[in-house]
Amino acid sequence: MASGAPVAAFAGTTAADAAGTGEATAVAAQQQQQCKSRRAIPQTLAHARLTAMIEARTQVAQLVACPSDVNPMCWQYEHLRLIVRQLNELVLLLSDQCNSTTCPQMKATEQWLFLCAAHRTPRECCAMDYSLHTMDNATSLLCNTKSFPSRNSIGESSAKHFQSIARRLYRIFAHANFHHNEIFNQYEETTQLCARFTQLCQHYNLMDQSMYIITHPQNG
């Protein structure tokens, strides 16, 4: 590992190691069902408002700004839930060329190397496994009723998890941008997912400014 390279540390439910990219589809599909099965409750105001704005292709800057009648913590929570769900799509696209042979380490450029903490002792994972583990942990945490007892009222003790989730999800975007740029740009052009995620993090101070290493996410 390069000197000074940041190390990932995600405190959450440990995911079983993915055997390879062939499991990406099954893992992603499982993740998309987890919140539905664990949190089968009526749609919240924040979720309804956010999904409607996304479907209307609202400009990113307006999309991240919390409506006056919605709790800001709930707004961030629903954003993160939807971002994790959509990020599965990008990871599936990456799985054709991102595997243990082509990307044996989770890197973003040659300067940033991340260890995966979905193990008893944080260790290196190939980029695909790291991505799957991170999304699995994020899904498990966001759907955990102990960490988030209610989607309609989220307090500071629950919201403290947002920063760690955001940092780790950002690394997936960064790897895609620097190591699979063509796929990243094609997906970003149609979804603006990284632009939305980046502006969400900046708007609510979910990451330190020095952590933003993608210099040109699509804007809209």
Side-chain angles (χ1 to χ4, degrees):
M1 181 170 63
S3 177
V7 175
F10 191 107
T13 302
T14 299
D17 289 353
T21 58
E23 293 188 12
T25 301
V27 172
Q30 180 183 18
Q31 290 169 345
Q32 289 186 4
Q33 293 300 320
Q34 284 181 349
C35 279
K36 293 181 181 179
S37 61
R38 297 180 188 179
R39 304 294 294 275
I41 61 176
Q43 191 180 58
T44 66
L45 172 63
H47 182 269
R49 186 70 58 79
L50 179 57
T51 52
M53 292 173 70
I54 292 174
E55 291 172 0
R57 302 187 67 83
T58 304
Q59 295 292 307
V60 170
Q62 295 176 271
L63 197 59
V64 301
C66 183
S68 59
D69 59 342
V70 174
N71 183 300
M73 300 300 184
C74 295
W75 191 245
Q76 295 172 64
Y77 175 83
E78 296 298 343
H79 262 287
L80 289 173
R81 280 171 56 101
L82 289 176
I83 286 167
V84 170
R85 184 180 304 172
Q86 287 185 271
L87 189 54
N88 279 313
E89 300 171 357
L90 176 58
V91 172
L92 284 176
L93 294 174
L94 295 177
S95 65
D96 286 339
Q97 62 175 238
C98 182
N99 53 57
S100 59
T101 300
T102 59
C103 302
Q105 297 174 312
M106 182 55 170
K107 288 185 175 182
T109 75
E110 294 304 313
Q111 287 71 46
W112 294 77
L113 171 65
F114 306 108
L115 300 184
C116 181
H119 314 275
R120 289 190 176 183
T121 302
R123 63 176 177 82
E124 291 185 11
C125 275
C126 70
M128 179 54 64
D129 284 0
Y130 183 102
S131 299
L132 295 176
H133 294 166
T134 296
M135 291 190 300
D136 186 33
N137 276 332
T139 300
S140 297
L141 181 57
L142 290 169
C143 297
N144 188 308
T145 55
K146 291 184 178 180
S147 298
F148 297 94
S150 171
R151 288 171 61 188
N152 291 295
S153 178
I154 296 177
E156 291 291 341
S157 61
S158 297
K160 67 182 182 182
H161 297 294
F162 294 163
Q163 293 185 343
S164 63
I165 292 173
R167 287 197 305 272
R168 285 148 185 82
L169 293 179
Y170 187 82
R171 293 164 185 170
I172 300 175
F173 286 109
H175 175 78
N177 176 67
F178 288 107
H179 298 276
H180 309 282
N181 188 253
E182 183 176 355
I183 293 176
F184 173 83
N185 285 337
Q186 289 176 349
Y187 188 75
E188 186 67 8
E189 184 178 353
T190 60
T191 67
Q192 295 189 319
L193 185 62
C194 185
R196 188 201 328 160
F197 178 67
T198 300
Q199 289 203 31
L200 177 77
C201 293
Q202 291 175 332
H203 189 83
Y204 296 102
N205 297 314
L206 299 183
M207 290 170 44
D208 186 88
Q209 193 63 35
S210 64
M211 296 180 179
Y212 296 101
I213 58 176
I214 301 174
T215 58
H216 50 81
Q218 298 290 329
N219 292 305

